[in-house]
């Protein structure tokens, strides 16, 4: 078990005064909830999408990435989810973290300043080097996929 946490730096951006920094809502929550840093309400009509600012930027060690995931409560109650879920935040990205929301519900949904709209989960990214070859290691599955193993 890792004893010391990964140190991730967070910078509040202009216009994000009063917006809480991302936070875990319970001690062992996987995700840090993200708040909308919109200057005024954004109304998402059914079927429409919007890129919502969160008011902060990150600097994290190269072995990490962050994933932007939907909040299940918003998805269940209002059909609000992330279009590109999970969104990928690269370790070298220094711009504002944004959330691409889409309304898959039947009613317009208002996104208000400061409301929690999504969550950010940090993940380890293993160091991988792609090496081109003409022969792959054989397996029992081989090229079978997409339901190849049946239903039961
Ligand atoms: O939900 C998201 C997804 C991405 N990003 C930012 C951080 C990420 O590092 C960058 C690029 O994202 P991605 O690689 O998914 O998009 P792309 O279309 O491949 O853009 P790029 O060519 O800039 O990599 O955009 C967000 O703020 N929120
Ligand atoms: Mg990319």
């Amino acid at each position: 078990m890792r004893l010391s946490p990964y140190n991730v730096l967070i910078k509040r951006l202009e216009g994000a005064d009063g917006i809480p920094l991302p936070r875990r809502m319970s001690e062992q929550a996987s995700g840090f909830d993200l708040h909308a840093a919109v200057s005024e309400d954004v109304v998402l009509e059914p079927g429409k999408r919007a890129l919502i600012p969160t008011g902060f930027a990150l600097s994290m060690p190269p072995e990490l990435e962050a994933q932007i995931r939907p909040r299940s409560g918003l998805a269940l109650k209002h059909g609000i989810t992330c279009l590109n879920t999970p969104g990928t935040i690269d370790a070298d990205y220094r711009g504002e973290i944004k959330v691409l929301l889409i309304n898959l519900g039947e009613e317009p949904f208002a996104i208000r300043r400061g409301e929690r709209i999504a969550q950010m989960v940090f993940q380890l990214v293993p160091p991988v080097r792609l090496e081109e070859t003409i022969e792959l290691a054989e397996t029992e599955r081989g090229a079978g996929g997409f339901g190849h193993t049946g239903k039961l």
Side-chain angles (χ1 to χ4, degrees):
M1 192 167 138
R2 199 173 191 280
L3 296 176
S4 56
Y6 291 95
N7 206 28
V8 173
L9 302 178
I10 185 161
K11 181 182 172 190
R12 187 186 293 276
L13 301 175
E14 240 182 81
D17 303 342
I19 301 288
L21 290 180
R23 58 188 160 144
R24 292 185 160 119
M25 299 306 288
S26 68
E27 206 184 339
Q28 291 170 16
S30 311
F32 291 77
D33 278 4
L34 305 177
H35 301 254
V38 288
S39 49
E40 52 193 49
D41 289 2
V42 172
V43 176
L44 260 190
E45 297 293 333
K48 299 295 181 192
R49 60 185 185 265
L51 194 57
I52 306 298
T54 62
F56 71 92
L58 292 179
S59 170
M60 64 183 112
E63 61 264 46
L64 294 186
E65 64 154 338
Q67 296 185 353
I68 307 299
R69 302 187 191 168
R71 292 187 66 204
S72 58
L74 287 182
L76 177 66
K77 290 179 211 147
H78 305 287
I80 298 295
T81 188
C82 299
L83 177 56
N84 59 329
T85 187
T88 303
I89 308 300
D90 301 289
D92 55 359
Y93 178 70
R94 297 289 175 273
E96 182 170 17
I97 308 294
K98 295 187 175 170
V99 178
L100 182 51
L101 289 181
I102 184 163
N103 182 355
L104 300 180
E106 293 82 37
E107 303 292 333
F109 182 80
I111 297 153
R112 304 210 155 82
R113 184 174 172 86
E115 277 181 357
R116 288 179 288 136
I117 49 168
Q119 56 189 316
M120 176 169 68
V121 176
F122 290 93
Q123 299 274 0
L124 280 173
V125 179
V128 168
R129 186 181 54 218
L130 275 183
E131 187 186 329
E132 192 174 2
T133 181
I134 54 166
E135 281 300 323
L136 299 175
E138 277 184 27
T139 66
E140 200 174 315
R141 173 185 284 273
F146 310 98
H148 168 81
T149 59
K151 264 190 165 178
L152 296 176

